[in-house]
Amino acid sequence: ASGGALAAPISGAASAQPAASESSPIGSLYPFIQKQADRSPLELSFLRSEFRDLKSWQRQARARIFDQLSYAPPKVDPAPQVIRRTDRGEYMEEYLTFQTTPDLRIPAYVLVPKKAKLPAPAIVALHDHGGFYMWAKEKLVAMEGEHPALTPFRERYYGGKATAVELVRQGYVVIVIDMFYWGERRMILDDDPAAFKDRPLSLTDEEIQTFNRRSGQNEQLVARSFMTAGITWPGVLLWDDIRTVDYLVSRPEVDKNRIGCVGLSVGGYRSFLLATLDERIKAGVAVGWMTSYASQIKRNVGSTIGFTFHIVGLYRYMDLPDMAALIAPRAMLVINGSQDRLFNLDGVKSAFSKIERCYAKAGAPDRQRCRLYDAPHQFNQEMQAEAWEWLGRWI
């Protein structure tokens, strides 16, 4: 999820869906705004009758998305720098940095299975938002001596599992990066206490909550600063993810023809968009971030739509589920929870229907699956079992 006030909505994710009759937080302004969305021509939806050739449409639609990102960094050599290698028994863990743009060197973990036949298939694992900024890639990669706050976080959102570790145990090479503004890329101010800068094991729950609260309050300020600079935050994060694939396929342990991606929440959004924008992704799993945008306007914008990752103006051309036709005929599994209060349930069901229709028109109906679990905003063990089966089938 995204937005400046995330922690509170997410903490109530298990509650019932708001009644459709409830008023909108934007009050008297709501009818006008909703009408504008409802009148959108969605002029690049593949479901429009004028689009018959999938490849031709994909070139046009993908170019439009890249244009809306207002960001196109020059390609650079990843120039990886391995900081340490740790033998974890079943796999080797590398902590490293690599270049995604001339201005960005980002931290990552790469997990390499010891017993897999190399080159092996690989997964880009994408972490969540969670209103939890202090750590990022560590949410998915458990290790000895980590801060105890990560354990209850994983219990709540991941069924207690470190999903990157689950994947490497299945024989995948796995990479996890820190998204901009999270983990090692979090916002540190000049007068911050040492605990915010160093993240010691003695960091208290209160200090973590204070840091997370401040980060949530300032998230949209950072996004607006990006816009003032003439670029967008989604441009930065999506290009980082694409460049992560660049680095991944450069590794000799990786079969460059067998790449997948998976994520929860904003990680699910990133997974869907990475598969949309990068044809090297053969199969993806997006968990906890699918909807029809127009259905969010009445009551759900505050906890889902922020400049952090929302591609401004894109709804004129495509709704989020329309992008599924940019993935087809490659494989995509989309999972949401029926108790997830971040999303209007009717909008989720409408999006699922559109994804199915996009794949049907693309001639690949069996390569998509949309699943609604009786669950809140999470990637629980039952969902994981389905996700791992899906990735194993198509990668």
Side-chain angles (χ1 to χ4, degrees):
S2 183
L6 274 146
I10 287 180
S11 68
S15 303
Q17 183 77 14
S21 61
E22 290 182 11
S23 62
S24 171
I26 57 175
S28 61
L29 305 181
Y30 166 70
F32 168 75
I33 296 173
Q34 186 68 58
K35 285 179 182 177
Q36 309 318 300
D38 293 343
R39 289 171 181 160
S40 170
L42 298 179
E43 58 191 62
L44 281 180
S45 171
F46 183 59
L47 295 178
R48 292 174 65 104
S49 60
E50 63 262 38
F51 298 117
R52 296 181 177 88
D53 181 83
L54 180 63
K55 287 295 183 183
S56 175
W57 172 84
Q58 286 179 336
R59 286 191 294 271
Q60 183 180 358
R62 191 171 287 121
R64 168 52 60 186
I65 295 173
F66 277 118
D67 188 56
Q68 295 295 121
L69 292 176
S70 299
Y71 182 69
K75 192 168 184 176
V76 295
D77 188 292
Q81 297 177 359
V82 178
I83 297 167
R84 67 173 180 266
R85 289 188 176 92
T86 306
D87 188 334
R88 297 295 183 189
E90 299 172 83
Y91 60 93
M92 293 298 297
E93 172 193 286
E94 292 186 4
Y95 170 62
L96 53 89
T97 64
F98 65 94
Q99 208 81 16
T100 57
T101 79
D103 307 309
L104 288 174
R105 173 166 285 274
I106 65 173
Y109 283 115
V110 175
L111 312 182
V112 181
K114 284 187 177 181
K115 296 182 179 179
K117 182 180 177 181
L118 302 178
I123 300 291
V124 181
L126 302 155
H127 70 79
D128 59 87
H129 184 302
F132 190 65
Y133 304 81
M134 188 66 79
W135 288 276
K137 59 190 179 299
E138 293 82 5
K139 297 174 181 179
L140 309 185
V141 182
M143 58 193 65
E144 296 176 5
E146 67 181 16
H147 195 281
L150 289 163
T151 299
F153 187 89
R154 287 195 204 102
E155 289 288 344
R156 181 173 188 176
Y157 292 109
Y158 295 95
K161 299 292 185 179
T163 52
V165 175
E166 296 298 305
L167 286 162
V168 73
R169 286 173 174 162
Q170 296 174 40
Y172 298 101
V173 177
V174 185
I175 188 166
V176 191
I177 70 168
D178 283 347
M179 191 171 83
F180 187 92
Y181 202 68
W182 271 259
E184 294 182 66
R185 305 173 76 187
R186 66 195 182 280
M187 184 179 70
I188 299 294
L189 304 181
D190 291 343
D191 58 353
D192 272 344
F196 283 9
K197 298 176 181 178
D198 302 332
R199 301 185 299 182
L201 288 176
S202 59
L203 191 67
T204 67
D205 286 345
E206 183 178 356
E207 288 172 320
I208 294 170
Q209 291 169 12
T210 298
F211 182 85
N212 287 338
R213 184 165 50 251
R214 184 189 77 184
S215 297
Q217 290 167 348
N218 285 283
E219 189 174 322
Q220 298 311 307
L221 172 61
V222 175
R224 287 156 58 195
S225 299
F226 271 128
M227 294 169 71
T228 304
I231 63 174
T232 67
W233 195 327
V236 172
L237 74 89
L238 293 172
W239 272 108
D240 275 351
D241 292 342
I242 292 169
R243 296 303 187 216
T244 296
V245 179
D246 288 350
Y247 169 62
L248 193 58
V249 300
S250 76
R251 293 187 61 113
E253 308 97 330
V254 171
D255 182 343
K256 65 180 65 178
N257 296 312
R258 301 172 68 194
I259 308 293
C261 57
V262 60
L264 164 67
S265 194
V266 75
Y269 176 88
R270 291 163 65 200
S271 183
F272 191 75
L273 267 291
L274 181 58
T276 291
L277 298 174
D278 195 326
E279 292 184 292
R280 294 172 295 183
I281 298 296
K282 300 306 179 189
V285 179
V287 183
W289 223 109
M290 180 50 63
T291 189
S292 174
Y293 281 132
S295 69
Q296 294 293 97
I297 294 171
K298 186 172 186 180
R299 293 196 57 80
N300 296 88
V301 166
S303 53
T304 58
I305 307 298
F307 293 134
T308 319
F309 64 88
H310 184 68
I311 304 173
V312 175
L314 192 61
Y315 192 72
R316 170 184 169 184
Y317 305 97
M318 286 171 279
D319 198 356
L320 181 63
D322 283 308
M323 298 181 200
L326 282 163
I327 305 171
R330 293 170 292 123
M332 195 73 208
L333 168 64
V334 178
I335 295 174
N336 267 60
S338 62
Q339 299 178 46
D340 188 341
R341 271 186 39 172
L342 299 177
F343 301 95
N344 176 283
L345 189 55
D346 289 339
V348 174
K349 292 177 179 178
S350 173
F352 282 7
S353 175
K354 178 169 274 194
I355 290 170
E356 292 167 3
R357 287 182 285 134
C358 283
Y359 267 80
K361 185 175 179 181
D366 63 324
R367 301 231 170 168
Q368 64 78 34
R369 184 190 297 167
C370 295
R371 293 275 280 124
L372 190 65
Y373 279 76
D374 182 16
H377 190 72
Q378 61 182 207
F379 190 19
N380 62 38
Q381 291 189 35
E382 185 182 1
M383 296 171 179
Q384 289 173 37
E386 182 168 9
W388 308 156
E389 182 274 331
W390 182 263
L391 293 171
R393 180 194 308 183
W394 297 111
I395 299 177

